[in-house]
Amino acid sequence: QVHLEESGGGSVQAGGSLRLSCIASKFDYSSSCLGWFRQVPGEEREGVAAMYRGGGSRLPYYADSVRGRFTISQENDKNTVTLSMNDLKPEDSAMYYCAAANGATCHDANWRVSSKYTYWGQGTQVTVSA
């Protein structure tokens, strides 16, 4: 059973930083797409960042609202994906979810579509105060 578990959320002031981690257990796709989404109550789940895990080298994907402030990366153990968030703003406050899918999801048209992802973590809350 694939299991994703996020950690690292919390409360910070605007301008601060947080680092979210997601450990993927029993996820052995040779080609996969690992993404971070966020959601606030009453709104759609929003794609924040995604990266391709597999052969070759591809640039990660970012939402325009976070590009230049957030960085998605994979730890050396390859089962941990992190989201480093800098210069946080109050509008970044949300529940953040880690998600995993097959590699085909990591495409310009698909990476931010939540229904393309098969596996999800339980979420970790990020709150940014003004």
Coordinates of all heavy atoms in Angstrom, one line a residue, residues 27 29-36 49-62 72-75 78 80-82 99-108 110-111 117:
F27 N 6.4 3.3 -2.9 CA 6.1 3.9 -4.2 C 7.3 3.7 -5.1 O 8.3 4.3 -4.9 CB 5.8 5.4 -4.0 CG 5.4 6.1 -5.2 CD1 4.2 5.8 -5.8 CD2 6.2 7.0 -5.8 CE1 3.7 6.5 -6.9 CE2 5.8 7.7 -7.0 CZ 4.6 7.4 -7.5
Y29 N 7.4 3.4 -8.6 CA 7.3 3.7 -10.0 C 8.7 4.1 -10.5 O 9.4 5.0 -10.0 CB 6.4 4.8 -10.3 CG 4.9 4.5 -10.2 CD1 4.5 3.3 -9.7 CD2 3.9 5.4 -10.5 CE1 3.2 3.0 -9.6 CE2 2.6 5.2 -10.4 CZ 2.2 3.9 -9.9 OH 0.9 3.6 -9.8
S30 N 9.2 3.5 -11.6 CA 10.5 3.9 -12.2 C 10.4 5.3 -12.8 O 11.3 6.0 -12.9 CB 10.9 2.9 -13.2 OG 10.0 2.8 -14.3
S31 N 9.2 5.7 -13.2 CA 8.9 7.0 -13.8 C 7.7 7.6 -13.1 O 6.6 7.0 -13.1 CB 8.6 6.9 -15.3 OG 8.1 8.1 -15.8
S32 N 7.9 8.7 -12.4 CA 6.8 9.2 -11.6 C 6.8 10.7 -11.5 O 7.8 11.4 -11.9 CB 6.9 8.6 -10.2 OG 8.1 9.0 -9.6
C33 N 5.7 11.3 -11.1 CA 5.5 12.7 -11.0 C 5.2 12.9 -9.5 O 4.2 12.4 -9.0 CB 4.5 13.2 -11.9 SG 4.3 15.0 -12.0
L34 N 5.9 13.8 -8.8 CA 5.7 14.1 -7.4 C 5.3 15.5 -7.4 O 6.0 16.4 -7.9 CB 6.9 13.8 -6.6 CG 7.4 12.4 -6.7 CD1 8.8 12.2 -5.9 CD2 6.4 11.4 -6.1
G35 N 4.2 15.8 -6.7 CA 3.7 17.2 -6.7 C 3.3 17.7 -5.3 O 3.1 16.9 -4.4
W36 N 3.2 19.0 -5.2 CA 2.7 19.6 -4.0 C 1.4 20.5 -4.4 O 1.5 21.2 -5.4 CB 3.7 20.5 -3.4 CG 4.8 19.8 -2.6 CD1 6.0 19.4 -3.1 CD2 4.7 19.3 -1.3 NE1 6.7 18.8 -2.1 CE2 5.9 18.7 -1.0 CE3 3.7 19.4 -0.3 CZ2 6.2 18.1 0.3 CZ3 4.0 18.8 1.0 CH2 5.2 18.2 1.2
A49 N 3.7 23.0 -7.2 CA 4.9 22.6 -7.8 C 4.9 21.1 -8.1 O 4.2 20.3 -7.4 CB 6.1 22.9 -6.9
A50 N 5.7 20.6 -9.0 CA 5.8 19.2 -9.3 C 7.2 19.0 -10.0 O 7.8 19.8 -10.6 CB 4.7 18.8 -10.3
M51 N 7.6 17.7 -9.8 CA 8.9 17.3 -10.4 C 8.8 15.9 -10.9 O 8.1 15.1 -10.3 CB 10.0 17.5 -9.4 CG 10.0 16.6 -8.2 SD 11.5 16.7 -7.1 CE 12.7 16.1 -8.3
Y52 N 9.6 15.7 -12.0 CA 9.6 14.3 -12.6 C 10.7 13.5 -11.9 O 11.8 14.0 -11.7 CB 9.9 14.5 -14.1 CG 10.0 13.2 -14.8 CD1 8.9 12.4 -15.1 CD2 11.3 12.7 -15.1 CE1 9.1 11.2 -15.8 CE2 11.4 11.5 -15.8 CZ 10.3 10.7 -16.1 OH 10.5 9.6 -16.8
R53 N 10.4 12.3 -11.6 CA 11.4 11.4 -11.1 C 11.5 10.2 -12.0 O 10.6 9.5 -12.3 CB 11.0 10.9 -9.7 CG 12.0 10.0 -9.0 CD 11.6 9.5 -7.6 NE 10.5 8.5 -7.7 CZ 10.1 7.8 -6.6 NH1 10.6 8.1 -5.5 NH2 9.2 6.9 -6.8
G54 N 12.7 10.1 -12.6 CA 13.0 9.0 -13.6 C 14.2 9.3 -14.4 O 15.1 10.1 -13.9
G55 N 14.4 8.7 -15.5 CA 15.6 8.9 -16.3 C 15.6 10.3 -16.9 O 14.6 11.0 -17.1
G56 N 16.8 10.8 -17.2 CA 17.0 12.1 -17.8 C 16.9 13.3 -16.8 O 16.8 13.1 -15.6
S57 N 16.9 14.4 -17.3 CA 16.8 15.6 -16.5 C 15.7 16.6 -17.0 O 15.7 16.9 -18.2 CB 18.2 16.4 -16.6 OG 18.2 17.5 -15.8
R58 N 14.8 16.9 -16.1 CA 13.8 17.8 -16.5 C 13.6 18.9 -15.4 O 13.8 18.7 -14.2 CB 12.4 17.1 -16.5 CG 12.3 16.0 -17.6 CD 10.9 15.6 -17.7 NE 10.7 14.3 -18.4 CZ 9.5 13.8 -18.6 NH1 8.4 14.4 -18.2 NH2 9.4 12.6 -19.2
L59 N 13.3 20.1 -15.9 CA 13.0 21.2 -15.0 C 11.7 20.9 -14.2 O 10.8 20.4 -14.8 CB 13.0 22.5 -15.7 CG 14.3 23.0 -16.3 CD1 14.0 24.2 -17.1 CD2 15.3 23.2 -15.3
P60 N 11.6 21.3 -13.0 CA 10.4 21.2 -12.2 C 9.4 22.2 -12.7 O 9.7 23.2 -13.5 CB 10.8 21.5 -10.8 CG 12.0 22.3 -10.9 CD 12.7 21.9 -12.1
Y61 N 8.1 22.0 -12.3 CA 7.0 22.9 -12.6 C 6.6 23.7 -11.4 O 6.6 23.2 -10.3 CB 5.8 22.1 -13.1 CG 6.1 21.3 -14.3 CD1 6.5 20.0 -14.2 CD2 5.9 21.8 -15.6 CE1 6.7 19.2 -15.3 CE2 6.1 21.0 -16.7 CZ 6.6 19.7 -16.6 OH 6.8 18.9 -17.7
Y62 N 6.3 25.0 -11.6 CA 5.8 25.9 -10.5 C 4.6 26.7 -11.0 O 4.5 27.1 -12.1 CB 7.0 26.8 -10.1 CG 8.2 26.1 -9.5 CD1 9.3 25.9 -10.2 CD2 8.1 25.7 -8.2 CE1 10.4 25.3 -9.7 CE2 9.2 25.1 -7.6 CZ 10.4 24.9 -8.4 OH 11.5 24.3 -7.8
I72 N 11.0 22.9 -5.3 CA 10.8 21.5 -5.0 C 12.0 20.7 -5.3 O 12.7 21.0 -6.3 CB 9.6 21.0 -5.9 CG1 9.2 19.6 -5.5 CG2 9.9 21.1 -7.4 CD1 7.9 19.1 -6.2
S73 N 12.3 19.7 -4.5 CA 13.5 18.9 -4.7 C 13.3 17.5 -4.1 O 12.4 17.3 -3.4 CB 14.7 19.6 -4.1 OG 14.5 19.7 -2.7
Q74 N 14.2 16.7 -4.5 CA 14.2 15.3 -4.1 C 15.4 15.0 -3.2 O 16.5 15.4 -3.6 CB 14.2 14.3 -5.3 CG 14.1 12.9 -5.0 CD 14.0 12.1 -6.3 OE1 12.9 11.8 -6.8 NE2 15.1 11.7 -6.8
E75 N 15.2 14.3 -2.1 CA 16.3 14.0 -1.3 C 17.1 12.8 -1.9 O 16.6 12.1 -2.8 CB 15.8 13.6 0.1 CG 15.1 14.8 0.8 CD 16.0 15.9 1.1 OE1 17.2 15.7 1.4 OE2 15.6 17.1 0.9
K78 N 15.6 9.4 -2.5 CA 14.7 9.4 -3.6 C 13.3 9.1 -3.2 O 12.4 9.0 -4.0 CB 15.2 8.4 -4.7 CG 16.5 8.7 -5.3 CD 16.8 7.9 -6.5 CE 18.2 8.2 -7.0 NZ 18.3 9.6 -7.4
T80 N 11.9 10.9 -0.6 CA 11.5 12.1 0.1 C 11.6 13.3 -0.9 O 12.6 13.5 -1.5 CB 12.4 12.4 1.3 OG1 12.4 11.2 2.2 CG2 12.0 13.6 2.0
V81 N 10.5 14.0 -1.0 CA 10.4 15.2 -1.8 C 10.1 16.3 -0.9 O 9.3 16.2 0.0 CB 9.4 15.1 -2.9 CG1 8.0 14.8 -2.4 CG2 9.4 16.3 -3.8
T82 N 10.8 17.4 -1.1 CA 10.7 18.6 -0.2 C 10.2 19.8 -1.0 O 10.4 19.9 -2.2 CB 12.0 18.9 0.5 OG1 13.0 19.3 -0.5 CG2 12.6 17.7 1.3
A99 N 1.5 14.7 -3.4 CA 0.8 13.8 -4.3 C 1.8 13.1 -5.2 O 2.8 13.6 -5.6 CB -0.3 14.6 -5.1
A100 N 1.4 11.9 -5.7 CA 2.2 11.1 -6.6 C 1.4 10.5 -7.7 O 0.2 10.1 -7.5 CB 2.9 10.0 -5.8
A101 N 2.0 10.4 -8.9 CA 1.4 9.9 -10.0 C 2.4 9.3 -10.9 O 3.6 9.4 -10.7 CB 0.6 11.0 -10.8
N102 N 2.0 8.6 -12.0 CA 2.9 8.1 -13.0 C 3.6 9.3 -13.7 O 3.1 10.4 -13.7 CB 2.3 7.1 -13.9 CG 1.3 7.8 -14.8 OD1 1.5 8.8 -15.5 ND2 0.1 7.2 -14.9
G103 N 4.7 9.0 -14.3 CA 5.5 10.0 -14.9 C 4.8 10.8 -16.0 O 5.2 12.0 -16.2
A104 N 3.8 10.3 -16.7 CA 3.2 11.0 -17.7 C 2.4 12.2 -17.2 O 2.1 13.2 -18.0 CB 2.2 10.1 -18.4
T105 N 2.2 12.3 -15.9 CA 1.5 13.4 -15.3 C 2.4 14.7 -15.3 O 1.8 15.8 -15.4 CB 1.0 13.1 -13.9 OG1 0.1 12.0 -14.0 CG2 0.3 14.3 -13.3
C106 N 3.7 14.5 -15.3 CA 4.6 15.6 -15.3 C 4.7 16.1 -16.7 O 5.7 15.9 -17.5 CB 6.0 15.2 -14.8 SG 6.1 15.5 -13.0
H107 N 3.7 16.9 -17.1 CA 3.6 17.5 -18.4 C 3.0 18.9 -18.2 O 2.2 19.0 -17.3 CB 2.8 16.6 -19.3 CG 2.7 17.1 -20.7 ND1 1.7 18.1 -21.1 CD2 3.4 16.8 -21.9 CE1 1.9 18.3 -22.4 NE2 2.9 17.6 -22.9
D108 N 3.3 19.8 -19.1 CA 2.7 21.2 -19.0 C 1.2 21.2 -18.8 O 0.7 22.0 -18.0 CB 3.1 22.0 -20.2 CG 4.5 22.4 -20.2 OD1 5.1 22.4 -19.2 OD2 5.0 22.8 -21.3
N110 N -0.7 18.7 -17.5 CA -1.3 17.8 -16.5 C -0.8 18.1 -15.1 O -1.5 17.7 -14.2 CB -0.9 16.4 -16.9 CG -1.7 15.9 -18.1 OD1 -2.7 16.4 -18.5 ND2 -1.1 14.9 -18.8
W111 N 0.4 18.6 -14.9 CA 1.0 18.6 -13.6 C 0.2 19.2 -12.5 O 0.2 18.9 -11.4 CB 2.4 19.2 -13.6 CG 2.5 20.7 -13.7 CD1 2.5 21.5 -14.8 CD2 2.4 21.5 -12.5 NE1 2.5 22.8 -14.4 CE2 2.5 22.9 -13.0 CE3 2.3 21.3 -11.2 CZ2 2.4 24.0 -12.2 CZ3 2.3 22.4 -10.3 CH2 2.3 23.7 -10.8
Y117 N -3.5 12.7 -10.2 CA -2.6 12.1 -9.2 C -3.4 11.0 -8.5 O -4.5 11.1 -8.1 CB -2.2 13.2 -8.2 CG -1.2 14.1 -8.8 CD1 -1.6 15.2 -9.6 CD2 0.2 14.0 -8.5 CE1 -0.7 16.1 -10.1 CE2 1.1 14.9 -9.1 CZ 0.7 15.9 -9.9 OH 1.6 16.8 -10.4

